[in-house]
Amino acid sequence: MSVDSVETQKKFAEKEHLNFILLADKEKKIARAYHVLIDDTVASRTTFIIDPKCKIAKIFPKVSPKDHSKEIILAIEELRRGSDTAS
């Protein structure tokens, strides 16, 4: 999700050949709610993993795009293993 417009998100997704929809938060409501808005203009690059119960399961406050997808996959696998043992 970004504070950029829907059109900007679409162009970025096309340029990067993404196979999923990027969400736009042009009014910055979500960015404010998650406390990631910087100087009321841009959102910090932060990742939140939300669990099936809609709770924040993990936060990555400083994201480096290069290897971040690997971090996310590992974190989700770790969370799944933890929920499997809790059942």
Side-chain angles (χ1 to χ4, degrees):
M1 182 174 296
S2 171
V3 296
D4 292 332
S5 69
V6 171
E7 189 57 37
T8 299
Q9 293 291 70
K10 282 182 183 177
K11 287 178 184 176
F12 178 79
E14 288 170 7
K15 177 183 160 215
E16 298 297 326
H17 307 288
L18 301 179
N19 63 353
F20 52 88
I21 296 170
L22 296 173
L23 301 176
D25 181 27
K26 185 114 171 94
E27 295 178 10
K28 304 172 185 151
K29 290 178 181 180
I30 304 299
R32 281 189 191 91
Y34 279 79
H35 305 285
V36 296
L37 200 58
I38 301 170
D39 298 327
D40 204 43
T41 57
V42 298
S44 67
R45 189 167 277 167
T46 304
T47 297
F48 295 87
I49 296 178
I50 312 292
D51 73 12
K53 295 179 182 174
C54 297
K55 303 279 186 200
I56 296 173
K58 189 155 178 103
I59 301 171
F60 295 85
K62 294 184 180 175
V63 174
S64 172
K66 185 178 179 212
D67 295 318
H68 190 51
S69 59
K70 293 174 189 169
E71 288 179 291
I72 294 298
I73 291 167
L74 289 172
I76 290 171
E77 288 172 352
E78 187 178 295
L79 290 165
R80 282 185 180 156
R81 281 193 301 274
S83 69
D84 289 344
T85 59
S87 332

